Amino acid sequence: MSLETFSTSEPLTLGVELELAIVNRHDYDLSPSSADLLRLMAKRKIPGDVKPEMTDSMIELSTGICRNHADALGQLTEIRDALVDCARRLNVGLSGGGTHPFQDWSERRIFNTPRFHMLSELYGYLSKQFTIFGQHVHVGCPGPDEALVLLHGLSRFIPHFIAMSASSPYVQGTDTGFHSARLNSVFAFPLSGRAPFCTTWDDFGVFFEKMTRTGVVQSMKDFYWDIRPKPEFGTIEVRVLDTPLTIEKAAALAAYIQCVSRWLTVEKPFELAEDDYLVYTFNRFQACRFGPEGTFVDPKTGEHRSLREDILATLARLESHAIELKAEAALDYLRLELERHGNDATWARQVHAREHLLPELVRQQCQRWSGELQID
Amino acid sequence: MLDSILGTLGISLSGSGGLLWGSLVIIVGALVGEAVFRWVGLPRIVGYALAGMGVGLAGYGMAAGGLSPSLRVIVDLALGLLLFELGSRVYLRWLRTNPFLLVTSLAESLLTFVAVYLVMRWAGLDGPAAVALAVLAVPTSAAVISRVASEFGAAGQVTERVSMMTALNTLYAVFASKLLLAWLDLDTGQNPVQAIVQPLYVVAGSVLVAGLLGYAVARVARGLDLRNENSTLLLLGLITLALAVTQVLNLSTLLVPLMAGLWLRNTTERPWVWPRHFGTAGGVLVLLLFVIVSTSWSIAALAAGAGLAILAMAVRLAAKAGAVLTLGWFSGQSIRQGLGLSLALTPMSATALVLFADLQVSHAPFAAQIAPIALSAVALMELLGALAVLAALRGAREITPQRGA
C-alpha cells in the first residue's frame, strides 16, 4: 500500500482524542461496558465522536476541529457531560489516568471488531496489556513538508508533554516508581519510537515504500511513534500524553502544544538535525520516570537542567504566542499545576498515601473527571 | 439389627448421626460440584444441588420433617452473608439516575404476583393458598446470582441489574409475606391490633438491627483492612451476632442482612472491598446452603405438587420476562440483555424456602396445605435456576473468558 497524499488542513488547528477507563461503581475495577455506553451515546448529539478501543473497558472520545483553547475546552465539556450522563444510567464510572491502578490485564476482553481481533492475534498479551489510556493531540499543518518539520521540532518537547500529563504511577496494584508507567507498554510494540529524520514528504515516501516492501508495515496506523503524521487529516499527531484526570488539563495541554507549534513555525528557534535525537530516549525516560524532577539534556548545548526549569523557561518564551492564540488561561493553568502537584501522578500518590485504598483513588479520579471533585 | 450389634460395642449411629452424615454430604457435594464444573462446565452449585437432591429423594430431606432448627441456622447464616454482599453492591441512587429501573422492578414483581395468583386460583386453590404461593414466587434468590457471578467473574449490565432487582424484589417479598401472615392471623380470628402491629414491628425492628450492623461494620472497616483474614472473621462474627439477635427478637433474617448491606453501600461513598463470601468459612456455608435447599426434593411432594409447581414457575418466568423485555428499552438495555436479565431473575429457592419456613413456624397447617407445590417449586428451581443464570450471563457475554472456560 503506498503512502496516501497529505490532505490540506488549516494550520495550527487542534483535534483532541482521549481514551477513558470505564469502571464499575462497587470496587472500581474495569467494567466491560463500552458496547453499552456506545449504544446509549449513539442517541446523543455531540460536537465530536466516541469510538471503541482495543479492550471493552476502554472508550475513546474525540473532538471536532478546534480553533483554540476555549473551543477545545468547550467541545470536551459537552462530550464529557454526555458521556457522564450515559455512564450514570448504566451505573458505571469514567476515569482518566494513563493506566488503571489495579486491573488485571489477563481479565480483559478484546472489543469485537476484525481489526482488534487481528491485532490481538498478532501482538498476543501485549494487546490486553495495551489497556492503557492516552491523549492524542492533532495539529493542523499547511502541507506535508511543514508537517514533518513541525514533527521533528516538537520532538524536543516530548519530555515536557510526558511530564505534565503523567498520570499512571500504579500498575497492577503496585507503585511502579514511574510518573508515567503507561509508556512502558507502548514501547513494547515493535514499531514504537520515533519517525525517521526526513524533512520532506518525498523522502518520507521513500522510507515508507521500503517499510511496506518488506511487508513489515501495511499503513501509517501500524506505526506507534510518539509523533506520527496523519495524512488523511492533514495533521501530525502527538501520541505521547497520558490521559489527564480532568478535561481542563487535557485542553490546557492541547493549547500548550498549539503554542509551541506556533513558536516553532513562526520563529524557527532551533535548527533541526538528526543529532537532536541522540538525547531523545534519555530525556523521554527521565520524564516518564521522574516527571518534572527528571533531568533534561539540551540537545543543542548538552547542558543538564531539571525538566521543570525547561518547562518554565518554555512557558515564558510562549507568552506572545499564547496571546495570539488566546491561550493565556491554558498556560497559567499549567504553571499553577506545576507549582502545586507537579502532575496528576503526584496527586494520585498523595491520595493513596492518605487513603491506602486504590479503589478509593479510582473513585476520586472518576469524581475529578466528571467535575464533581474540584481540588485547589 | 445393625444398631443392636453396634450398641453392644457402645457405638450409636443415631447419636453421632449429625456429624457423620453432615461430613459425608459435604464431601459428596464438593466432589460432585467439581465433577460438574470440570466435565460439563456448569457452576459448582449444580453439583451441590444434585448431592442435596440425592439426600432428599432418598427420604431424608425436608418433606420428612420440614426445615429443622439446626439446618435453619445454617441456611439463615449462609443466605445472610449472600444477602449482605448483595445489598452492599446495590447503589440506590442508580434508581434516581435511571428511573425506569424502579418501574421495571415494580412491574416484574407485581406481574409475577398477579399472574401466579390467577393461575393458582384457576387451578383450583383457594384464596389464601394462592396468595401465599404468589408471594413465594416474587423474590429472586440472591444465593444463586451471587454465587454464579463470583464463580465465573461476571461483570456487565445484566449482572448489575439482576443484583439491583433481586435486592428490590426480596424486599417486596418479605414485606408481602409479613402482610400475608397478618392477614392469616386476622382470618383465624386473632387480635386485630396484634395482627397489624406484628408486621410493623418486624420491619421496623429489622431496619434498626440492620442499621446497627451496618454501622458496626463501617466502624470496623475504619480501623482494619477488610481484605485480611482476621478482619473478615470479625465481619462474619458481627453478621452472625446480628442474625442471632434477629432470631431472638423474632425479626426477619432476610431483611436484616440485606438492609445492612444496603445501608453500608448507600451511606458512604468509599468503596467496600472484602473477600468474596468472606473467605473460606463463607464458602463452606454457601455449599451447605445449596445442599440443604436441595433436600426439598421428595418423591411424595413431587407426586402431589409437581404439575402445579411447573405451571406456576412457567407463569412466573413469563411474567418477569414480559416486564423486563417491554420496559427494558427505556432503561438503556439491549434486547440480548433483556433476555439475559429475564433468565437471571428465575432462581428462587433459598429465599422462598426461608419465607416458607417462616410460614411453617407460625401457621403450620396452612403451610402443610401448600407444602407439596411450594417444595416442588423450590426443588425444581434450585436446579434450573443455576443453569438459567449461567445461560443468561454467557448469552449476554458477561463472563470473563478465563474463568468461564
Side-chain angles (χ1 to χ4, degrees):
Chain A
M1 201 193 132
S2 64
L3 189 58
E4 309 131 74
T5 46
F6 202 83
S7 301
T8 51
S9 73
E10 201 181 317
L12 296 178
T13 50
L14 293 171
V16 180
E17 288 166 5
L18 289 169
E19 291 163 352
L20 299 173
I22 310 174
V23 294
N24 74 57
R25 298 286 225 90
H26 311 296
D27 55 26
Y28 289 90
D29 200 350
L30 286 176
S31 168
S33 304
S34 67
D36 298 312
L37 205 49
L38 287 167
R39 194 179 62 241
L40 289 184
M41 283 296 286
K43 303 178 201 156
R44 305 276 184 133
K45 206 169 162 310
I46 45 169
D49 198 16
V50 284
K51 290 192 283 285
E53 252 300 328
M54 180 79 90
T55 56
D56 60 9
S57 340
M58 303 168 74
I59 195 161
E60 181 181 309
L61 70 85
S62 53
T63 62
I65 300 175
C66 308
R67 303 232 95 72
N68 54 35
H69 174 234
D71 190 8
L73 187 55
Q75 291 194 30
L76 283 173
T77 309
E78 235 186 286
I79 304 174
R80 186 270 307 264
D81 290 344
L83 271 172
V84 166
D85 193 56
C86 291
R88 284 211 178 105
R89 290 189 72 205
L90 296 173
N91 202 29
V92 293
L94 292 168
S95 164
T99 55
H100 183 280
F102 56 87
Q103 61 105 1
D104 182 352
W105 63 261
S106 64
E107 292 191 344
R108 304 280 69 83
R109 290 186 297 210
I110 304 295
F111 191 89
N112 195 19
T113 64
R115 178 176 165 78
F116 291 141
H117 282 300
M118 182 273 290
L119 288 174
S120 169
E121 280 290 304
L122 178 59
Y123 289 116
Y125 88 118
L126 287 181
S127 46
K128 288 194 180 174
Q129 274 216 329
F130 211 55
T131 304
I132 49 176
F133 312 93
Q135 173 176 357
H136 301 169
V137 178
H138 288 261
V139 184
C141 303
D145 295 347
E146 290 86 343
L148 288 171
V149 167
L150 182 58
L151 187 154
H152 294 297
L154 282 175
S155 292
R156 182 202 181 283
F157 298 93
I158 287 291
H160 292 207
F161 307 150
I162 295 175
M164 287 198 284
S165 68
S167 56
S168 48
Y170 295 101
V171 169
Q172 307 232 155
T174 320
D175 190 332
T176 59
F178 278 70
H179 281 239
S180 171
R182 158 180 164 268
L183 286 169
N184 295 325
S185 287
V186 179
F187 300 155
F189 281 74
L191 292 165
S192 62
R194 49 115 177 155
F197 189 72
C198 312
T199 47
T200 67
W201 196 242
D202 292 330
D203 285 346
F204 186 79
V206 169
F207 162 81
F208 190 82
E209 168 63 35
K210 290 183 199 166
M211 291 299 278
T212 48
R213 198 168 24 134
T214 58
V216 169
V217 157
Q218 260 85 54
S219 76
M220 280 298 287
K221 278 184 113 159
D222 296 326
F223 292 116
Y224 288 87
W225 296 329
D226 297 342
I227 314 183
R228 183 174 77 183
K230 181 110 180 151
E232 69 184 273
F233 288 177
T235 61
I236 55 163
E237 186 184 1
V238 179
R239 300 160 49 83
V240 100
L241 303 110
D242 281 357
T243 301
L245 296 180
T246 58
I247 49 170
E248 285 76 19
K249 182 170 280 189
L253 287 168
Y256 181 73
I257 294 177
Q258 191 191 36
C259 292
V260 172
S261 305
R262 188 173 194 277
W263 179 35
L264 292 171
T265 332
V266 166
E267 285 182 43
K268 297 195 195 338
F270 309 110
E271 199 185 302
L272 300 177
E274 166 74 47
D275 279 359
D276 292 345
Y277 281 107
L278 289 173
V279 297
Y280 185 74
T281 43
F282 176 83
N283 284 342
R284 193 175 62 185
F285 170 78
Q286 285 281 318
C288 290
R289 174 74 174 84
F290 300 107
E293 314 318 322
T295 307
F296 181 80
V297 179
D298 190 313
K300 296 295 182 202
T301 65
E303 189 194 325
H304 285 220
R305 62 184 86 98
S306 84
L307 196 42
R308 179 184 291 266
E309 266 181 68
D310 202 65
I311 296 176
L312 288 170
T314 310
L315 283 169
R317 294 289 290 274
L318 292 176
E319 290 289 352
S320 58
H321 299 280
I323 294 171
E324 286 300 311
L325 292 170
K326 304 202 192 49
E328 298 116 298
L331 299 196
D332 287 341
Y333 179 91
L334 291 174
R335 207 175 281 117
L336 194 60
E337 269 295 292
L338 208 55
E339 268 167 52
R340 263 187 333 207
H341 301 107
N343 57 28
D344 288 333
T346 315
W347 177 82
R349 287 195 167 110
Q350 286 171 356
V351 171
H352 185 246
R354 247 191 342 258
E355 306 283 350
H356 301 289
L357 192 65
L358 285 174
E360 171 64 12
L361 170 62
V362 180
R363 186 188 73 82
Q364 291 196 27
Q365 284 181 192
C366 290
Q367 296 238 292
R368 288 196 69 192
W369 176 259
S370 65
E372 288 168 279
L373 177 62
Q374 304 276 348
I375 54 163
D376 37 47
Chain B
M1 200 190 94
L2 185 65
D3 282 344
S4 56
I5 297 175
L6 293 174
T8 56
L9 292 170
I11 299 172
S12 160
L13 272 184
S14 53
S16 63
L19 194 58
L20 191 67
W21 296 118
S23 54
L24 280 174
V25 162
I26 292 177
I27 292 171
V28 170
L31 285 174
V32 178
E34 197 58 35
V36 150
F37 181 71
R38 190 107 42 106
W39 296 334
V40 195
L42 296 175
R44 288 183 181 85
I45 56 178
V46 172
Y48 309 158
L50 288 173
M53 187 168 99
V55 170
L57 290 175
Y60 294 101
M62 225 167 289
L67 194 56
S68 76
S70 48
L71 291 182
R72 175 71 196 260
V73 166
I74 298 178
V75 168
D76 278 342
L77 188 54
L79 195 51
L81 290 180
L82 293 168
L83 282 169
F84 183 78
E85 270 193 321
L86 183 78
S88 73
R89 289 177 87 86
V90 171
Y91 189 51
L92 292 173
R93 228 166 294 171
W94 188 20
L95 294 174
R96 204 172 359 133
T97 55
N98 196 340
F100 260 92
L101 275 181
L102 186 57
V103 173
T104 312
S105 163
L106 288 167
E108 66 93 5
S109 294
L110 208 55
L111 209 58
T112 305
F113 179 82
V114 167
V116 173
Y117 172 77
L118 290 174
V119 159
M120 291 292 101
R121 291 286 277 150
W122 173 83
L125 272 76
D126 64 14
V131 169
L133 286 170
V135 167
L136 290 181
V138 164
T140 301
S141 171
V144 177
I145 301 301
S146 211
R147 187 57 203 224
V148 174
S150 77
E151 202 171 307
F152 287 85
Q157 283 301 295
V158 173
T159 316
E160 292 278 322
R161 282 156 197 253
V162 81
S163 303
M164 169 66 84
M165 292 180 63
T166 300
L168 290 174
N169 68 22
T170 306
L171 286 173
Y172 308 148
V174 175
F175 293 148
S177 78
K178 295 306 162 199
L179 289 175
L180 172 68
L181 290 177
W183 181 40
L184 289 176
D185 282 341
L186 282 173
D187 250 11
T188 58
Q190 275 247 10
N191 179 356
V193 173
Q194 194 200 355
I196 297 189
V197 163
Q198 178 67 7
L200 288 176
Y201 162 73
V202 168
V203 170
S206 303
V207 168
L208 191 63
V209 175
L212 287 172
L213 175 58
Y215 179 72
V217 172
R219 292 290 295 161
V220 164
R222 281 276 155 271
L224 304 173
D225 180 1
L226 290 180
R227 287 161 296 182
N228 96 43
E229 212 174 65
N230 197 48
S231 318
T232 52
L233 190 62
L234 189 52
L235 277 184
L236 202 59
L238 285 171
I239 295 178
T240 314
L241 179 62
L243 284 174
V245 167
T246 307
Q247 274 171 352
V248 163
L249 295 178
N250 204 20
L251 302 169
S252 167
T253 56
L254 293 173
L255 272 188
V256 167
L258 179 59
M259 294 190 115
L262 284 172
W263 189 95
L264 202 61
R265 176 70 175 88
N266 293 280
T267 53
T268 42
E269 289 294 334
R270 196 181 159 87
W272 295 104
V273 197
W274 57 67
R276 278 278 187 172
H277 305 331
F278 301 90
T280 332
V284 171
L285 281 168
V286 168
L287 186 165
L288 289 175
L289 172 70
F290 284 103
V291 172
I292 294 171
V293 172
S294 300
T295 58
S296 53
W297 280 86
S298 98
I299 312 228
L302 284 173
L308 284 180
I310 293 175
L311 183 61
M313 293 300 103
V315 164
R316 177 175 178 267
L317 174 62
K320 288 188 189 285
V324 164
L325 286 171
T326 45
L327 295 171
W329 184 82
F330 298 99
S331 62
Q333 197 177 278
S334 72
I335 300 204
R336 179 185 282 267
Q337 287 170 343
L339 289 170
L341 185 56
S342 310
L343 276 179
L345 285 171
T346 52
M348 179 190 90
S349 304
T351 314
L353 188 63
V354 168
L355 291 173
F356 179 71
D358 282 340
L359 199 60
Q360 265 185 327
V361 162
S362 52
H363 296 84
F366 176 72
Q369 217 191 325
I370 57 169
I373 307 175
L375 289 179
S376 305
V378 163
L380 276 169
M381 292 318 291
E382 187 68 349
L383 211 51
L384 295 178
L387 299 173
V389 168
L390 187 62
L393 294 176
R394 279 230 176 100
R397 293 191 283 251
E398 297 202 356
I399 295 198
T400 325
Q402 218 168 286
R403 281 190 265 179

